Amino acid sequence: MVIDGRCVLDETDLHLRLAGAFGYGPTYRPGLVSLHRRLAAGDPRPVQLTCINGTALRMVLGNARFDEFVALLQTIEAGDEGKNWADRFVFRLFD
């Protein structure tokens, strides 16, 4: 999945895009806590999330929130590091 930072309107829009791509459905509550809970539980796998135009996404979310978002995704990726490719979450960020 690819997220283009230039196309994201705000944090809610980002979460809705992720929820749609990950198949979370109407029970998903947009936010970092819910996203962390789902991803930490292994839902979905395998997945490669690539964020392009990260600078634009930083401008949309603000520095602090962007850093929290990236840190969460990097933590999930690190937790999956030793797993088989079929069971991994991979995160890439490009400016």
Side-chain angles (χ1 to χ4, degrees), residues 5-82:
R6 296 175 301 178
C7 298
V8 175
L9 303 175
D10 56 24
E11 184 175 354
T12 300
D13 180 50
L14 174 60
H15 283 285
L16 292 175
R17 289 171 186 267
L18 291 172
F22 293 159
Y24 288 164
T27 60
Y28 176 72
R29 300 288 179 243
L32 288 178
V33 172
S34 293
L35 181 63
H36 181 262
R37 190 175 299 130
R38 294 277 186 120
L39 290 174
D43 182 21
R45 295 293 193 278
V47 68
Q48 180 169 331
L49 176 60
T50 303
C51 180
I52 59 173
N53 298 305
T55 303
L57 185 59
R58 180 182 289 277
M59 288 176 25
V60 168
L61 297 179
N63 286 329
R65 201 58 167 174
F66 176 83
D67 290 343
E68 287 179 71
F69 179 74
V70 169
L72 172 123
L73 297 175
Q74 289 173 337
T75 298
I76 298 297
E77 180 183 38
D80 281 5
E81 196 168 285

